[in-house]
């Protein structure tokens, strides 16, 4: 344990916690905006897998990480349109169709990987970018300002999303549509259009979250995300549908994961113990949800399809 | 009464027909509104009033007919089209987002002055100005969930005024208001028509229709069955046009033959859904052969009281004695076995199971008793004869005993519930909103049944938000406000005005002090 409690190891753990939190954060922020408009998407995990594969494959073929990021966004957006049609136009049950999206993404990403790549081939992942000046700060600079570009993007999206939800006419529409779609409709706000936009954006962010994971690891494999998407959904509840709360949840999660990883690396936990400790993040999710789930802030119209005149 | 402006109509609906599978909701309806007038659409539930207005507001499409605004034919495909044409609508249920502020609710759907940024300060400013002009007290920064129903209704009016609508549809806007709030609302509405706006007022409350309308159009079964003005008609005539036959609005009451107490409530306290007291320090006695009415604005503890009496909600403290037995901690079944029946306010949630057949719903309270069942087996022969008898006696209109109950009309479902509740020959009846949402014919019948039961000596506790009903049926009236009894009036001394003050939480003493002064909050007239 003394190996772990040194300044350099602790700082490295913190930095890695922030990095590990990023895919959770991106996906959970995307899910937040969707849920604020009243749409639950349980398919985040599937969309993340497709986004991860898209980013990996595009980068593998073109050697352009930027192109890889773009592809993950597009793949997520396309899945958003699919999910929008299924839940808004066809009014399918949201919980069930989300599970369908998950299974679809899980299967398709693996199929494409087997057909197009076959043997696992690593790619050059995202490199760290030091922020000028801030990166030179002692300790803080090392932990926060020596990260890859998607980490910065994810954390910058927290205030951006807060602003969009709380300070723009579009955000007002989103909040109204998620709470009382009938009222929004009666004032001429298009419930479906608002939800299409939030689902599209939310899924694009899920795709990007998958891309962030693949480009961080520089690899793709079957079920690469391994539950990230489901935990992201839990984080939305944890964060009480607020971007800052979601960020806090993602950080807790990232730090616990980083600590567990560090302990394994340092040999503090081995064998069966390591496996048990490896379950910490999952157990933590359940515990935290049981303890903090007050349901205050849950959009009233969540999972409720809107039909005019009913 | 405001002036009726003659001249070209603001709105004309001509030959509107709307069919739903199996019914014609609107059958060649003509309707028009002139600037500066209140034109009332009167009719029972299902007469087609709301359908007609939903067509006008773009929520439904008419199969046939034409809509003209200021003489020009228009197509209205969605609420946005209606809003663009200057039409506003106040819906039967509030169309407000509880988690947003008043200003945000008003601004919703309007273009923002600064495109991508929501700047609410001009909206708040304008709301304050309009509050002044119309005497509509609303705080733009308050959240809707913090507001009482009367205030919410003012926000709805504010939304319409803010959008400067030229035509406003009000779909049963008074159903949740106290009499004093209704008076205030009518003052505001008159201010709106004085400014040249046209109003469509939808209601089935005859005295309100008589006091507010310039013109009245009556619908029945989707067709116009009468057009009149208040000075040339009466409530009885209007009811006749609505129902299609002579209706007795006030039930015949015989002299009460009151005996000993059957239901005694002492110092009862009941908690609401949020764990806060909904009924506090409640004392009341109902004797055999009398009807005690409970008046009050909805949400003042009536539901919790009824549920506590029926055993569906635990009492926090106090006692309830029915038929000489303390029932405070008894289960609903034990209470029923003591001769207590309960007509719940939520007909389809607590009173009947929609998917069950008529017969199954009729035996819900007796299925485990002889003769309905013997030794754990249902006696279908007995059920058949018993239920046919009940359906006939209580004139429940149903194709058969096997028909799913949800297929019946509201009035017939209510008759079914009453038939079941009275089939056990109870000695105490708790009737909660027994005629809410049922047609006048069924309401008239239900009132007669209740009066017959009273003559037969049962004790009836009648909880109702319909003041005419409470005054018409009760021997004594207790007014509930914030969970307490504000006062108990004898039938002879109960007027809408006195009850209204008590319903607003003003005790009799305070009311006398205020007498002679202007009622507060009515604003400039």
């Amino acid at each position: 344990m003394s190996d772990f409690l040194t300044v350099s190891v602790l700082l490295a753990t913190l930095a890695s916690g922030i990095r590990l939190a990023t895919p959770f954060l991106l996906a959970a922020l995307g899910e937040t905006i969707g849920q604020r408009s009243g749409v639950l998407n349980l398919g985040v995990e599937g969309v993340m897998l497709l986004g991860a594969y898209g980013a990996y494959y595009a980068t593998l073929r073109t050697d352009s990480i930027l192109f890889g990021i773009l592809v993950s966004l597009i793949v997520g957006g396309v899945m958003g349109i699919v999910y929008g049609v299924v839940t808004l136009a066809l009014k399918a049950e949201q919980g069930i169709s989300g599970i369908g999206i998950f299974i679809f993404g899980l299967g398709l990403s693996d199929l494409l990987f087997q057909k197009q790549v076959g043997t696992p081939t690593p790619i050059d992942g995202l490199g760290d970018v030091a922020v000028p000046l801030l990166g030179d700060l002692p300790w803080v600079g090392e932990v926060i300002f020596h990260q890859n570009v998607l980490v910065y993007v994810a954390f910058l999206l927290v205030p951006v999303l807060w602003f969009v939800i709380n300070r723009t006419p579009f955000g007002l529409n989103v909040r109204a549509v998620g709470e009382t779609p009938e009222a929004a409709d009666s004032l001429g706000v298009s419930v479906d259009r608002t939800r299409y936009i939030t689902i599209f954006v939310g899924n694009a962010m899920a795709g990007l979250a998958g891309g962030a994971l693949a480009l961080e690891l520089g690899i793709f494999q079957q079920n690469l995300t391994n539950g990230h998407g489901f935990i992201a959904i839990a984080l939305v509840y944890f964060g009480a549908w607020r971007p800052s709360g979601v960020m806090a949840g993602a950080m807790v999660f990232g730090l616990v994961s980083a600590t567990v990883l560090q302990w394994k690396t340092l040999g503090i936990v081995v064998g069966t113990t390591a496996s048990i400790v490896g379950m910490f993040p999952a157990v933590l999710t359940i515990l935290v949800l049981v303890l903090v789930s007050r349901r205050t802030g849950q959009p009233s119209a969540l999972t409720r399809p809107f039909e005019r005149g009913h | 009464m405001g002036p009726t402006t003659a001249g070209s109509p603001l709105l004309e609906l001509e030959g509107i027909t709307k069919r739903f599978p199996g019914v014609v909701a609107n059958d060649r309806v003509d309707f028009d509104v002139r600037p500066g007038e209140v034109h009332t659409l009167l009719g029972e539930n299902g007469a087609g009033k709301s359908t007609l207005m939903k067509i006008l507001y773009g929520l439904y499409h008419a199969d046939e007919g034409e809509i003209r605004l200021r003489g020009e034919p228009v197509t209205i495909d969605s609420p946005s089209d209606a809003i663009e044409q200057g039409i506003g609508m106040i819906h039967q249920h509030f169309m407000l987002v509880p988690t947003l502020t008043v200003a945000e609710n008003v601004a919703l759907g309007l273009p923002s002055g600064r495109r991508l940024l929501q700047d609410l300060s001009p909206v708040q400013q304008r709301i304050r100005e309009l509050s002044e002009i119309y005497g509509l007290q609303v705080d733009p920064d308050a959240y809707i969930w913090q507001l009482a129903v009367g205030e919410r209704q003012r926000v709805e009016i504010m939304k319409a005024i803010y959008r400067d609508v030229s035509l406003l549809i009000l779909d049963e806007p008074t159903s949740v208001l106290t009499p004093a709030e209704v008076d205030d609302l009518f003052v505001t509405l008159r201010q709106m028509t004085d400014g040249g706006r046209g109003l469509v007022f939808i209601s089935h409350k005859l005295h309100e229709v008589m006091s507010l309308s310039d013109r009245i159009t009556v619908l029945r079964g989707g067709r116009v069955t009468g057009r009149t003005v208040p000075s040339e008609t009466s409530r009885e005539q209007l009811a006749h046009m609505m129902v299609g036959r002579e209706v007795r609005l006030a039930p015949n009451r015989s002299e009460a033959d009151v005996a000993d107490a059957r239901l005694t409530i002492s110092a009862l306290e009941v908690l609401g859904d949020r764990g806060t007291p909904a009924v506090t320090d409640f004392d009341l006695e109902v004797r055999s052969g009398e009807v005690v009415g409970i008046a009050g604005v909805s949400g003042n503890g009536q539901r919790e009281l009824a549920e506590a009496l029926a055993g569906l909600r635990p009492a926090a403290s106090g006692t309830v004695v029915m038929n000489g037995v303390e029932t405070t901690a008894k289960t609903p079944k034990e209470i029923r076995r003591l001769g207590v029946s309960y007509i719940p306010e939520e007909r389809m949630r607590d009173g009947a199971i929609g998917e069950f057949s008529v017969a199954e719903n009729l035996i819900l309270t007796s299925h485990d008793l002889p003769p309905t069942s013997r030794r754990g087996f249902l006696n279908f022969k007995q059920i058949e004869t018993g239920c046919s008898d009940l359906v006939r006696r209580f004139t429940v209109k149903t194709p058969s005993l096997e028909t799913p109950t949800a297929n019946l009309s509201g009035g017939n479902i209510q008759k079914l519930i009453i038939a079941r509740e009275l089939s056990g020959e109870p000695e105490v009846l708790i009737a909660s909103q027994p005629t809410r949402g049922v047609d006048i014919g069924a309401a008239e019948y239900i009132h007669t049944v209740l009066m017959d039961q009273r003559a037969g000596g049962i004790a009836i506790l009648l909880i109702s938000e319909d003041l005419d009903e409470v005054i018409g049926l009760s021997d004594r009236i207790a007014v509930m406000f914030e969970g307490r009894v504000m006062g108990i009036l004898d039938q002879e001394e109960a007027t809408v005005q006195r009850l209204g003050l008590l319903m607003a939480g003003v005790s009799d003493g305070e009311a006398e002090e205020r007498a002679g002064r202007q009622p507060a909050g009515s604003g400039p007239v």
Side-chain angles (χ1 to χ4, degrees):
Chain A
M1 202 46 136
S2 57
D3 293 345
F4 179 66
L5 295 172
T6 61
V7 171
S8 62
V9 172
L10 282 177
L11 288 183
T13 310
L14 281 176
S16 119
I18 290 174
R19 199 162 51 245
L20 291 177
T22 299
F24 291 121
L25 182 57
L26 282 169
L29 288 176
E31 180 72 12
T32 302
I33 180 124
Q35 291 202 12
R36 285 302 288 264
S37 75
V39 183
L40 171 73
N41 178 12
L42 286 183
V44 185
E45 178 86 357
V47 179
M48 279 183 79
L49 278 167
L50 289 170
Y53 177 73
Y56 167 79
Y57 186 68
T59 309
L60 183 70
R61 284 284 173 266
T62 64
D63 279 333
S64 163
I65 289 185
L66 193 66
F67 186 61
I69 291 172
L70 196 67
V71 168
S72 70
L73 275 168
I74 293 170
V75 168
V78 169
M79 290 308 291
I81 294 169
V82 171
Y83 191 62
V85 170
V86 170
T87 53
L88 300 179
L90 307 176
K91 304 207 188 298
E93 186 75 37
Q94 289 174 13
I96 304 302
S97 44
I99 292 171
I101 296 273
F102 158 59
I103 294 169
F104 173 77
L106 177 67
L108 184 66
S109 60
D110 188 42
L111 175 74
L112 291 173
F113 178 67
Q114 301 295 344
K115 286 283 172 200
Q116 296 181 320
V117 185
T119 49
T121 319
I123 51 171
D124 283 337
L126 277 166
D128 289 348
V129 182
V131 177
L133 300 176
L134 292 173
D136 299 333
L137 290 171
W139 298 9
V140 179
E142 190 184 331
V143 173
I144 300 178
F145 298 109
H146 282 262
Q147 299 280 6
N148 71 53
V149 68
L150 287 179
V151 175
Y152 301 132
V153 168
F155 282 85
L156 279 176
L157 275 172
V158 174
V160 168
L161 197 64
W162 176 87
F163 187 85
V164 169
I165 290 175
N166 294 296
R167 288 289 181 272
T168 67
F170 175 72
L172 184 59
N173 290 353
V174 170
R175 285 183 285 150
V177 160
E179 284 293 332
T180 322
E182 300 76 20
D185 182 58
S186 77
L187 292 176
V189 174
S190 168
V191 175
D192 277 0
R193 195 198 313 154
T194 307
R195 287 183 172 172
Y196 266 117
I197 294 171
T198 59
I199 296 174
F200 178 81
V201 171
N203 277 268
M205 285 170 73
L208 181 65
L213 196 64
L215 294 173
E216 158 76 22
L217 300 169
I219 193 75
F220 186 85
Q221 64 186 46
Q222 189 201 19
N223 193 20
L224 176 84
T225 51
N226 196 20
H228 270 68
F230 290 108
I231 287 163
I233 296 168
L235 291 178
V236 176
Y237 286 74
F238 174 93
W241 293 268
R242 284 175 295 123
S244 56
V246 168
M247 179 178 80
M251 279 306 298
V252 169
F253 225 81
L255 288 174
V256 171
S257 306
T259 306
V260 170
L261 215 62
Q262 191 69 263
W263 284 356
K264 283 189 193 171
T265 314
L266 294 173
I268 294 173
V269 290
V270 287
T272 323
T273 325
S275 304
I276 292 170
V277 170
M279 296 193 308
F280 273 12
V283 173
L284 185 76
T285 321
I286 296 168
L287 279 182
V288 160
L289 281 176
V290 169
L291 292 176
V292 300
S293 185
R294 300 167 306 267
R295 292 284 174 106
T296 47
Q298 177 164 11
S300 308
L302 190 60
T303 76
R304 184 155 58 88
F306 173 71
E307 207 162 344
R308 182 175 285 166
H310 281 256
Chain B
M1 202 81 347
T4 306
T5 321
S8 61
L10 188 59
L11 165 80
E12 294 162 277
L13 297 175
E14 197 180 297
I16 300 288
T17 297
K18 173 74 185 174
R19 297 179 197 88
F20 289 114
V23 278
V24 182
N26 287 151
D27 189 0
R28 286 160 291 161
V29 175
D30 298 333
F31 185 77
D32 70 337
V33 182
R34 301 182 199 125
E37 76 165 350
V38 177
H39 192 162
T40 293
L41 258 182
L42 180 66
E44 302 216 62
N45 293 311
K49 303 167 300 202
S50 290
T51 305
L52 189 65
M53 289 305 111
K54 282 181 173 171
I55 289 170
L56 178 55
Y57 200 64
L59 293 165
Y60 290 150
H61 298 272
D63 297 323
E64 286 160 35
E66 188 173 71
I67 303 175
R68 284 192 298 272
L69 278 168
R70 297 169 202 88
E72 299 289 316
V74 290
T75 26
I76 299 173
D77 284 333
S78 69
S80 349
D81 290 352
I83 292 163
E84 213 164 285
Q85 299 285 353
I87 302 173
M89 181 158 177
I90 292 181
H91 299 259
Q92 204 170 349
H93 307 287
F94 290 128
M95 287 291 188
L96 296 168
V97 186
T99 52
L100 300 184
T101 64
V102 169
E104 285 175 320
N105 268 282
V106 170
L108 186 61
L110 290 175
S112 167
R114 290 157 66 187
R115 279 182 57 80
L116 286 176
L117 219 94
Q118 185 78 52
D119 187 4
L120 285 174
S121 49
V123 180
Q124 290 159 337
Q125 184 55 35
R126 183 80 185 127
I127 291 175
R128 289 200 185 91
E129 286 167 23
L130 292 169
S131 293
E132 274 304 291
I133 298 171
Y134 286 90
L136 274 178
Q137 286 167 19
V138 286
D139 172 10
D141 299 319
Y143 283 93
I144 300 297
W145 59 263
Q146 299 170 319
L147 303 183
V149 278
E151 296 173 290
R152 292 185 192 200
Q153 188 63 283
R154 292 206 283 274
V155 178
E156 288 284 20
I157 303 273
M158 179 58 73
K159 274 159 64 181
I161 295 176
Y162 191 96
R163 284 165 173 73
D164 199 20
V165 296
S166 50
L167 179 74
L168 181 62
I169 306 160
L170 298 120
D171 190 356
E172 312 234 352
T174 61
S175 48
V176 291
L177 303 183
T178 63
E181 286 172 328
V182 170
D183 290 345
D184 287 349
L185 173 69
F186 284 4
V187 170
T188 309
L189 295 182
R190 270 300 157 203
Q191 259 183 296
M192 293 183 73
T193 54
D194 289 347
R197 296 180 177 90
L199 261 55
V200 182
F201 181 63
I202 299 180
S203 181
H204 61 257
K205 293 188 184 170
L206 296 171
H207 60 269
E208 290 178 0
V209 169
M210 290 295 283
S211 81
L212 183 69
S213 316
D214 292 313
R215 286 193 290 156
I216 301 167
T217 292
V218 185
L219 285 180
R220 184 174 75 238
R223 291 185 190 193
V224 175
T225 52
R227 293 181 205 278
T228 184
V229 293
S231 55
E232 291 170 14
T233 188
S234 64
R235 290 169 52 186
E236 286 70 23
Q237 278 183 13
L238 288 175
H240 190 156
M241 283 188 258
M242 283 166 78
V243 182
R245 63 174 171 80
E246 214 57 58
V247 180
R248 257 203 334 272
L249 289 174
N252 281 343
R253 282 160 47 91
S254 55
E255 208 46 45
D257 181 14
V258 178
D260 48 336
R262 284 286 159 77
L263 166 62
T264 311
I265 307 168
S266 322
L268 185 67
E269 175 163 311
V270 183
L271 300 184
D273 293 339
R274 292 188 187 151
T276 52
V279 177
T280 335
D281 204 13
F282 196 95
D283 295 296
L284 195 68
E285 189 179 79
V286 187
R287 291 163 296 178
S288 149
E290 76 169 346
V291 176
V292 174
I294 300 236
V297 179
S298 104
N300 274 290
Q302 298 97 316
R303 182 170 62 86
E304 290 83 358
L305 173 69
E307 288 177 357
L309 296 180
L312 297 168
R313 185 182 282 270
S317 62
T319 54
V320 180
V321 176
M322 296 201 222
N323 254 345
V325 181
E326 180 170 349
T327 60
T328 324
K330 291 215 181 316
T331 65
K333 187 170 173 174
E334 290 165 345
I335 292 173
R336 283 183 170 279
R337 294 287 187 265
L338 287 168
V340 178
S341 278
Y342 173 49
I343 301 169
E345 120 181 38
E346 290 276 342
R347 194 172 307 142
M348 290 314 291
R349 199 192 67 190
D350 302 331
I353 300 171
E355 295 79 14
F356 275 26
S357 71
V358 169
E360 283 166 332
N361 270 304
L362 280 171
I363 62 163
L364 274 184
T365 55
S366 61
H367 64 276
D368 56 345
L369 291 177
T372 309
S373 66
R374 282 189 199 285
R375 294 181 202 89
F377 289 95
L378 288 172
N379 181 350
F380 284 99
K381 215 168 173 183
Q382 166 61 31
I383 291 171
E384 164 96 40
T385 52
C387 291
S388 315
D389 181 46
L390 281 177
V391 163
R392 205 170 333 121
R393 259 174 58 205
F394 288 88
T395 66
V396 181
K397 266 184 225 151
T398 174
S400 75
L401 289 176
E402 281 72 49
T403 307
T405 303
N407 293 2
L408 306 189
S409 74
N412 280 303
I413 294 172
Q414 190 69 343
K415 285 193 211 167
L416 182 160
I417 293 169
I418 290 172
R420 180 187 68 215
E421 294 302 321
L422 295 178
S423 66
E425 292 172 0
E427 299 193 56
V428 177
L429 175 67
I430 298 149
S432 205
Q433 321 291 352
T435 61
R436 179 155 77 189
V438 311
D439 51 286
I440 293 187
E444 185 190 17
Y445 176 76
I446 290 167
H447 289 161
T448 312
V449 169
L450 292 178
M451 287 296 100
D452 288 349
Q453 294 293 323
R454 165 178 170 270
I458 80 170
I460 301 177
L461 184 70
L462 168 72
I463 302 174
S464 175
E465 281 156 34
D466 181 344
L467 282 186
D468 291 338
E469 176 173 88
V470 175
I471 296 173
L473 298 181
S474 312
D475 298 295
R476 293 185 294 136
I477 300 164
V479 179
M480 252 183 122
F481 175 73
E482 292 184 348
R484 295 166 197 276
V485 177
M486 274 308 287
I488 300 181
L489 302 179
D490 280 334
Q491 201 261 345
E492 300 79 44
E493 52 178 4
T495 59
V496 171
Q497 286 71 26
R498 281 192 76 176
L499 291 174
L501 282 172
L502 291 170
M503 283 162 70
V506 183
S507 69
D508 262 5
E510 287 174 65
E512 273 159 36
E513 270 173 47
R514 284 196 194 185
R517 270 188 276 155
Q518 279 288 321
S522 53
V525 183

